[in-house]
Amino acid sequence: MTDIQVEAGSEISEKDLFDASAGIDLEKLRAQNRLRKFLDTSARRIISLGGIGVIVTLLLLFVFLLSEVVPLFQPATIDYVGEFELIENSAGETLHLAMEEQAEVGFRLTDDGAASFFEVPGGVLISREDLPVAQNTFITSFASAEADSNVLAFGFDSGSVLVFAHEYRIGFIGEDNVRTITPFLTYPLGNEPIDLAQGDAVTKLAVSSENDAIVVAALDGANRLHVLRADRERNLISSFDPDASSDYELRQVSIQEPLNNVQELLIDGDLRRVIVLLNSGQMRVYDIARLFTGNESSADFEFAQPDLDITQVELLLGGMSLLISSADGTVYQYFFTDQSIASPPVLARSFTVTDSPVVALTAEQREKNFIGVDQQGFLRAFNTTANRETFSARVARQAPVAIAAAPRGNALLVETESGQFSFWQIDNPHPDVSWAALWNEVWYEGYAEPDYVWQSSATDNAFEPKYSLVPLTFGTLKAAFYAMLLAAPLAVCGAIYTGYFMAPAMRRKVKPVVELMEALPTVVLGFLAGLWLAPFVENNLLGVFAVLIILPMSILLASLVWYVLPKRIRHTVPDGWEAALLVPVVLFFGWLSFLVAAPLEALFFAGDLRTWLSSDLGITYDQRNAMVVGFAMGFAVIPTVFSIAEDAIFTVPRHLPYGSLALGATPWQSLYYVVLPTASPGIFSALMIGLGRAVGETMIVLMATGNTPIIDINIFEGMRTLAANIAVEIPESEVNSTHYRILFLAALVLFVFTFLINTVAEVVRQRLRGRYSVL
């Protein structure tokens, strides 16, 4: 027996006496306890810091995305810079006012045939050139081409027309490479006027240019229409040099039938139509191509009320839309929805500038924007695509004579009746974005009706960007729906069987194999889906449908056969190993499904199910479609859902199903009434995490679908998702451009969507956990 020495006056507990009598080192034990407590505290703090770090990272990501998106919705601004007068300028009245791209050189054309280039905003004259107007000849009409062209035209009382353009050459001189802008005039059809109206004065004039063609339309004093078309002739060498000199082939045609009460003459941007506006609210349209083939083709339309008092007419960028202002300060946008000459113009939308007549109207050169000014000098700018006002200001104290917007839309030049010029700086980086344009139907130029469209770029500078997020959001939900339609039942049912019915030894082999599927890169799945699965499904479409029908029925039939077998045979297979017997059943009936598909397709669908779907049911079929995405993405989602759901089912306390069985319930009753309710929080979380995984998937939908941003529930049509769209277009988008920031908006929508899914999943999980935790 060990002697225990206790000092006099000391206190010792019975536990200490017991530990000492048992030969336990108390100091070592206390040190171990302190170490354990330190490790527990450290682990708790590290885990808490990790969780806080995740939350902070998500918040920073949200703030970053929001910071890139907020500028889209900030209002535009217009700031006054100063006023000036032109020095040594022409005394004639202004016909046209413009600025070059840098908004440093202004151009003024007057009715005496003088073209002046001057510094902006100083007003110092750079150069002046008198156009080649013959003596005793007077300018009777003037026309300018669409907004993105510098082509102008004069009509004379002699019946001739002169086409010219103001151009600018940028150079660098000196050792410091100082940038200089040299303005000059060019004469595409020669500096000699072309006789078009056959000696009669040109009263109305229109001009338009596109690529290597120029069309001029003129109305003479007898109200007869004359059309000139000039097509540039290029050789092999000059085709690669836009500045190379080349000749134009000129063709003329005249229409003898007079046109009365003509208010305006226009040519659309595609050089397809000559548009004649009449005072009665009528419109006559001529097909230019048919005019020059000798088959005159025209159509008459009533586009407005007969009492509409038109004050200004302008072509929007691209020459597809007509902007018509009325005396009540309203601007109407009309465009044609079809290439056919018989297609009437439609009124797409209207804009209220002020309550007084619009005296100056101009369209911007690079955006679908226009600016209107009333008699009091009040200005209001609009974007037609977004159907919204971008900015407004009082730019003059009296009625303006002319206004000019810089090609980049960042400056404005206003001339008033007193000859004063005012210069304004504009900050309007994202005019074509509004909440309505992003989420509502928009009536785009050339479309028969408003629609949801995503088309962010095109080869034409006059392209109207289409930034509807609805097709992308729909595509995201469509891909996730078909993926979960395949993954959810297979994964959950597999988890139920594996976690509740399967033998432990078999479970230890099956579960890791299924979870190993998650390690397969999605780019590999997308590659296989796009290059192998999609053609396979297309060539064996009926076989795929046969598998979906025959395989479940064969499994049920095999289960029924197993149930009716004598017990002595069934008992030879240990409990929980029955699933192994289904492997040959699945393989055999899967092979049989494809075997019988060919004769069935020949018997019922004339040997081609795809053609039958298209011709008889009107269902289009794309090789890379939602069904292929569902198969591939479902394969990627199954391991996630299976693993979490199986863990939830397997970790249900065994005393619960055992107690249920002891009370007389069958295994299926115990599963339904005890196991599944208890595991429901985990199963629901598995489904929500799988859904979030499907919503955010990128590579599979990028490679296994046609990437067409359309709204179609058809399982045989493709789609484009938010994630795939970001991956495709972010490399080609200009930093800080509208396209760039809208892609960040798409990422923010995706972020918020997955956040909401996870939040709902956690709320439902907690409620289910609280409800069934009493079991």
Side-chain angles (χ1 to χ4, degrees), residues 501-515:
F501 292 105
M502 188 174 287
M506 188 176 183
R507 176 182 177 273
R508 287 193 294 271
K509 297 178 178 60
V510 171
K511 190 171 189 291
V513 171
V514 177
E515 291 176 341

Side-chain angles (χ1 to χ4, degrees), residues 157 205 242 266 317 351 480 520 539 586 658:
D157 60 352
L205 188 64
L266 301 162
L317 171 66
F351 309 87
L520 192 64
N539 297 327
V586 171
Y658 289 164

Side-chain angles (χ1 to χ4, degrees), residues 558-592:
S559 302
L560 178 62
V561 171
W562 176 256
Y563 180 76
V564 300
L565 285 176
K567 291 184 178 180
R568 60 184 177 82
I569 299 178
R570 285 187 289 159
H571 289 167
T572 58
V573 179
D575 289 341
W577 286 86
E578 296 88 349
L581 300 177
L582 286 177
V583 174
V585 174
V586 171
L587 294 177
F588 173 76
F589 282 98
W591 169 78
L592 183 64

Side-chain angles (χ1 to χ4, degrees), residues 131-170:
L131 276 80
V133 180
Q135 292 184 352
N136 301 322
T137 301
F138 298 96
I139 299 172
T140 55
S141 58
F142 165 76
S144 62
E146 59 274 10
D148 57 342
S149 173
N150 292 333
V151 176
L152 309 170
F154 273 150
F156 301 103
D157 60 352
S158 62
S160 59
V161 296
L162 177 67
V163 178
F164 57 98
H166 55 101
E167 304 289 347
Y168 306 87
R169 182 182 297 112
I170 297 179

Side-chain angles (χ1 to χ4, degrees), residues 93-130:
E93 295 184 1
T94 300
L95 294 177
H96 186 70
L97 193 65
M99 285 185 287
E100 53 80 39
E101 185 173 4
Q102 309 299 328
E104 296 177 6
V105 177
F107 170 74
R108 179 175 182 251
L109 183 68
T110 55
D111 58 0
D112 58 358
S116 303
F117 296 96
F118 56 91
E119 294 181 359
V120 175
V124 177
L125 186 68
I126 298 175
S127 64
R128 172 179 169 175
E129 182 175 343
D130 292 325

Side-chain angles (χ1 to χ4, degrees), residues 226-401:
H226 307 271
V227 181
L228 166 70
R229 182 181 179 97
D231 294 287
R232 179 175 293 181
E233 299 176 341
R234 287 185 178 270
N235 55 38
L236 182 61
I237 297 177
S238 63
S239 297
F240 297 96
D241 184 5
D243 296 327
S245 60
S246 55
D247 296 328
Y248 279 86
E249 177 189 1
L250 304 182
R251 292 180 293 166
Q252 298 184 30
V253 65
S254 299
I255 300 174
Q256 298 304 317
E257 179 186 0
L259 295 168
N260 298 318
N261 301 319
V262 175
Q263 183 160 1
E264 195 69 36
L265 202 59
L266 301 162
I267 301 171
D268 67 359
D270 294 335
L271 308 186
R272 183 178 293 114
R273 299 177 176 90
V274 174
I275 304 170
V276 183
L277 301 184
L278 306 178
N279 291 332
S280 58
Q282 299 288 320
M283 174 188 297
R284 175 167 292 185
V285 179
Y286 292 92
D287 189 324
I288 296 177
R290 298 194 65 179
L291 284 177
F292 286 98
T293 58
N295 301 317
E296 179 184 332
S297 177
S298 64
D300 294 315
F301 307 107
E302 182 177 345
F303 75 98
Q305 304 87 349
D307 57 347
L308 180 65
D309 188 2
I310 298 176
T311 59
Q312 296 287 325
V313 179
E314 184 78 9
L315 285 172
L316 196 63
L317 171 66
M320 294 182 63
S321 291
L322 279 71
L323 299 175
I324 300 176
S325 65
S326 63
D328 62 357
T330 303
V331 177
Y332 302 93
Q333 181 189 6
Y334 291 88
F335 56 72
F336 296 92
T337 60
D338 196 288
Q339 294 186 358
S340 171
I341 197 68
S343 172
V346 296
L347 174 61
R349 51 186 70 92
S350 61
F351 309 87
T352 300
V353 178
T354 61
D355 294 334
S356 58
V358 175
V359 296
L361 188 67
T362 186
E364 291 190 12
Q365 295 188 21
R366 296 186 180 176
E367 300 282 355
K368 299 290 183 177
N369 300 336
F370 74 89
I371 299 172
V373 187
D374 67 2
Q375 293 175 334
Q376 287 75 39
F378 183 81
L379 172 148
R380 188 166 280 164
F382 297 87
N383 180 271
T384 58
T385 304
N387 194 16
R388 72 181 185 95
E389 176 187 333
T390 55
F391 60 87
S392 60
R394 182 75 178 269
V395 295
R397 290 183 292 271
Q398 52 186 306
V401 174

Side-chain angles (χ1 to χ4, degrees), residues 542-555:
L542 188 59
V544 173
F545 288 143
V547 167
L548 297 177
I549 298 173
I550 294 176
L551 206 55
M553 295 178 62
S554 64
I555 293 175

Side-chain angles (χ1 to χ4, degrees), residues 677-678 680-682 762-775:
T678 307
S680 59
E762 181 62 21
V763 171
V764 175
R765 188 185 71 83
Q766 291 292 348
R767 290 189 178 183
L768 291 174
R769 184 177 181 181
R771 179 176 180 180
Y772 295 110
S773 61
V774 296
L775 292 177

